[in-house]
Amino acid sequence: MILSLSIVTGFKSEIRSRAIGFAGHVVVIAYTNNNSFEQEPVSTKAAFLTTLSKNSEIKHIQPYATKNAIIKTAFENQGIIIKGVDKTYDWRFIKQYLKAGGIPDFNDSVSSDKILVSQTIATKLGIKTGDRLITYFVSKKNIADTIANISYEQRVRKFEVSGIYQTGFSDVDDNIVFADLKQIQKLNFWNTDQAGGFEIELNDFEKTDALTE
């Protein structure tokens, strides 16, 4: 019984640490009735961020955005989710699981074409660090008052594989490719001070519910 309890407790702790390491304790996104897969932007200069940054229970806040895409190689196609992050992103969790190459360097001055892919995706597509990949996106061309008037266009980007990771967390490894947040801002016709949301890391997991409120 003690052995079983230890295994279950350890497994629960490992899953929790990986989930938190990837997305933080709390995620803040725009409240919307929009049922599409496209995120609604939020301002990275919002007043509430100043309030949160002064909260001693909050360890770190980082903006992010996600966008569906398809990677195409000479022989395979793979549906993925691009997760755009900026220079404030905390890479400590991913660095533990880096298998090849390095973490891409994102800065404020220029948009980077470097990406970080999982070993699962790299194996499926037969790619390695240094390879350049053609990636297809669908973006809203114009934002209209009604869904019926919104038009879409296909957009193409070429990315270079900077590194390969593998967390062992299938929800992440099967889908997520890290890229520069500026790339998603451009693809979505957002301003440079807009993101899809914020990931918040707390000092104490036990206070997550209270601090979320």
Side-chain angles (χ1 to χ4, degrees):
M1 289 176 66
I2 293 174
L3 180 60
S4 298
L5 182 61
S6 299
I7 292 172
V8 171
T9 302
F11 181 73
K12 179 181 177 181
S13 177
E14 181 67 16
I15 293 297
R16 184 177 69 186
S17 66
R18 293 191 186 196
I20 292 171
F22 175 71
H25 295 84
V26 182
V27 175
V28 179
I29 58 175
Y31 180 76
T32 175
N33 291 323
N34 183 4
N35 292 321
S36 77
F37 292 107
E38 293 288 319
Q39 286 184 307
E40 295 295 331
V42 294
S43 174
T44 57
K45 297 179 180 178
F48 73 83
L49 291 172
T50 301
T51 303
L52 293 181
S53 65
K54 295 178 181 179
N55 190 319
S56 61
E57 300 290 350
I58 292 177
K59 186 176 183 180
H60 184 63
I61 304 172
Q62 56 197 23
Y64 80 101
T66 58
K67 192 169 183 66
N68 292 339
I70 296 175
I71 291 180
K72 179 178 175 58
T73 66
F75 305 102
E76 295 286 345
N77 296 326
Q78 175 71 29
I80 58 166
I81 299 173
I82 296 283
K83 180 174 182 177
V85 299
D86 66 4
K87 68 175 186 178
T88 66
Y89 189 76
D90 187 350
W91 291 104
R92 286 178 300 167
F93 170 73
I94 295 297
K95 283 181 177 179
Q96 299 176 69
Y97 303 102
L98 197 63
K99 299 298 182 183
I103 300 295
D105 181 23
F106 302 144
N107 56 63
D108 290 333
S109 57
V110 294
S111 176
S112 173
D113 66 351
K114 300 292 193 300
I115 58 174
L116 188 70
V117 305
S118 72
Q119 184 67 64
T120 300
I121 294 174
T123 300
K124 285 181 179 179
L125 297 177
I127 58 178
K128 59 185 184 301
T129 56
D131 286 353
R132 295 190 65 84
L133 307 175
I134 299 175
T135 309
Y136 294 89
F137 301 86
V138 175
S139 299
K140 292 180 182 178
K141 191 173 183 180
N142 295 300
I143 305 299
D145 293 332
T146 61
I147 294 178
N149 292 327
I150 297 177
S151 60
Y152 295 86
E153 66 176 12
Q154 177 179 286
R155 310 190 77 188
V156 181
R157 290 287 186 276
K158 281 188 177 181
F159 293 110
E160 181 180 337
V161 179
S162 170
I164 297 173
Y165 74 92
Q166 187 77 358
T167 67
F169 200 15
S170 61
D171 285 351
V172 175
D173 298 338
D174 291 348
N175 300 292
I176 303 299
V177 171
F178 291 89
D180 192 341
L181 177 59
K182 295 185 188 64
Q183 294 285 356
I184 294 184
Q185 289 171 337
K186 292 178 180 179
L187 287 163
N188 286 344
F189 302 99
W190 290 353
N191 297 326
T192 55
D193 61 352
Q194 290 181 308
F198 303 95
E199 295 173 343
I200 301 176
E201 182 183 0
L202 307 178
N203 290 314
D204 186 355
F205 171 80
E206 299 302 329
K207 297 181 180 180
T208 299
D209 290 342
L211 287 168
T212 298
E213 293 297 327

